[in-house]
Amino acid sequence: GVYIAADSGDASFYDAMIWLAGGRPFHTSNDGKTVTIDLADDAGTKTFTAFWQKMIDEGLVDTRSSTWSESWKRKLGSGAVASVFAGAWMPSLLLSDVPGGSGLWRVTRMPTSDGKPANAENGGSALSVLQSSRKPDAAFRFLDYVCHSKHGIATRVDGGSFPADKATLSSDAFLDKTTVTDERGIAIPYFDGQRYNRVLAEAAETVSTGYQYLPFEVYARNDFSSTVGKAYDWSTAKYKYDQAVARIEDGVVDSHGKPPKLPEHPGKRIALTDGIASWQKDLEEYGFNQGFTIE
């Protein structure tokens, strides 16, 4: 009754896992005019896709709960989903989204197919001042404070943020931290005394280089839902169908003595590889229409 992880078709997660597996499916030439898209034959893409398909087929991935949804948060809180694959920014979000999980979670390194230490990136952020800001000077002073002031950086780190400066990253205060400060200013031992930042700092040292995103990454991630996402939709529909069949075979009836209604059969299996092929085709067409030379 417990899933190892939840994934209903998150493009940023899939990108990160391809990167982790050593994949390099996208490449843009130095002049920015030629884009290579090789999802079909890229070794890392095939490695992760085969692994994740196996996980889904064995019922180990909850394909029904979208990341950040209320359903997802409830399942993390109840223990129905046992792990979260995320970036080093996750501690503060776990505390705010799953406060009842305090003391039950731990941080560990990402597993790899060959067991060797490696890592990718998932997300990233920047702080900026909008041109439309009514108080740009005050806004900039705030950014300067949280990015360059030791006190400002420490305040963010106390709240579970990952530092962008190497001095903090290697400091004992950061590495020995065992709490996450909540919005009330209370230090919570969310990971039950684990010095979790040591794990995250070690992981940061083994991020592989050379991965490239597409110059039209926003489109690519949106299109992921309508292509690769169909495999997740099929898996969810198959799960519901199989559950209904099982209840009928077990003789389960409702309050009126009627058996459960059998949902529509999910039809021919749609695998992740089918979705990847469609994604490749869409990306090639979109890139060509945007004026790139596609290889």
Side-chain angles (χ1 to χ4, degrees):
V2 175
Y3 293 96
I4 289 181
D7 173 33
S8 62
D10 182 343
S12 63
F13 164 75
Y14 216 96
D15 265 338
M17 295 300 100
I18 289 174
W19 181 344
L20 179 71
R24 300 292 185 270
F26 309 127
H27 179 75
T28 301
S29 61
N30 291 334
D31 62 9
K33 296 180 179 180
T34 302
V35 175
T36 302
I37 304 172
D38 187 25
L39 288 162
D41 296 320
D42 177 71
T45 302
K46 292 197 289 187
T47 294
F48 174 68
T49 298
F51 166 71
W52 208 235
Q53 185 70 68
K54 179 176 172 62
M55 291 277 286
I56 290 173
D57 290 345
E58 293 181 3
L60 301 175
V61 178
D62 177 5
T63 59
R64 303 183 307 284
S65 299
S66 300
T67 307
W68 312 118
S69 67
E70 291 304 316
S71 171
W72 178 78
K73 295 174 186 177
R74 284 195 302 271
K75 289 179 179 179
L76 293 187
S78 67
V81 172
S83 67
V84 176
F85 296 82
W89 34 260
M90 195 64 192
S92 62
L93 297 175
L94 265 181
L95 175 60
S96 61
D97 291 339
V98 194
S102 180
L104 302 177
W105 288 82
R106 304 290 184 275
V107 177
T108 191
R109 296 287 300 274
M110 289 291 296
T112 56
S113 59
D114 59 8
K116 297 179 181 178
N119 220 324
E121 291 186 356
N122 186 347
S125 59
L127 300 174
S128 59
V129 181
L130 296 178
Q131 188 175 23
S132 59
S133 172
R134 291 185 298 161
K135 297 183 178 181
D137 291 339
F140 180 79
R141 288 199 300 273
F142 173 75
L143 298 195
D144 191 45
Y145 167 71
V146 298
C147 292
H148 298 137
S149 161
K150 289 185 177 180
H151 186 268
I153 293 171
T155 300
R156 293 190 70 210
V157 168
D158 286 346
S161 294
F162 196 71
D165 65 306
K166 290 186 176 181
T168 303
L169 187 63
S170 60
S171 69
D172 290 339
F174 173 73
L175 295 173
D176 292 337
K177 184 172 291 298
T178 59
T179 61
V180 184
T181 302
D182 68 10
E183 58 188 9
R184 302 165 297 175
I186 300 174
I188 307 296
Y190 195 88
F191 301 106
D192 197 35
Q194 180 190 17
R195 292 187 290 183
Y196 60 95
N197 282 334
R198 287 184 177 270
V199 182
L200 299 176
E202 289 172 1
E205 294 294 328
T206 55
V207 175
S208 62
T209 59
Y211 190 86
Q212 291 187 15
Y213 292 110
L214 288 166
F216 40 89
E217 185 67 22
V218 173
Y219 171 83
R221 295 194 180 191
N222 287 332
D223 190 61
F224 183 92
S225 297
S226 57
T227 52
V228 185
K230 290 181 180 179
Y232 290 89
D233 294 340
W234 185 90
S235 178
T236 298
K238 181 68 162 52
Y239 173 86
K240 292 179 179 178
Y241 182 85
D242 289 345
Q243 288 292 95
V245 170
R247 288 196 297 270
I248 292 172
E249 292 177 348
D250 290 341
V252 176
V253 295
D254 61 19
S255 57
H256 301 291
K258 295 183 178 180
K261 184 179 179 181
L262 193 64
E264 183 179 351
H265 190 278
K268 183 181 178 181
R269 180 174 183 264
I270 301 176
L272 290 173
T273 51
D274 299 324
I276 291 291
S278 296
W279 197 29
Q280 166 102 21
K281 182 179 179 181
D282 278 8
L283 294 179
E284 289 177 342
E285 182 177 336
Y286 181 83
F288 177 79
N289 289 336
Q290 292 298 305
F292 293 99
T293 297
I294 303 298
E295 295 183 347

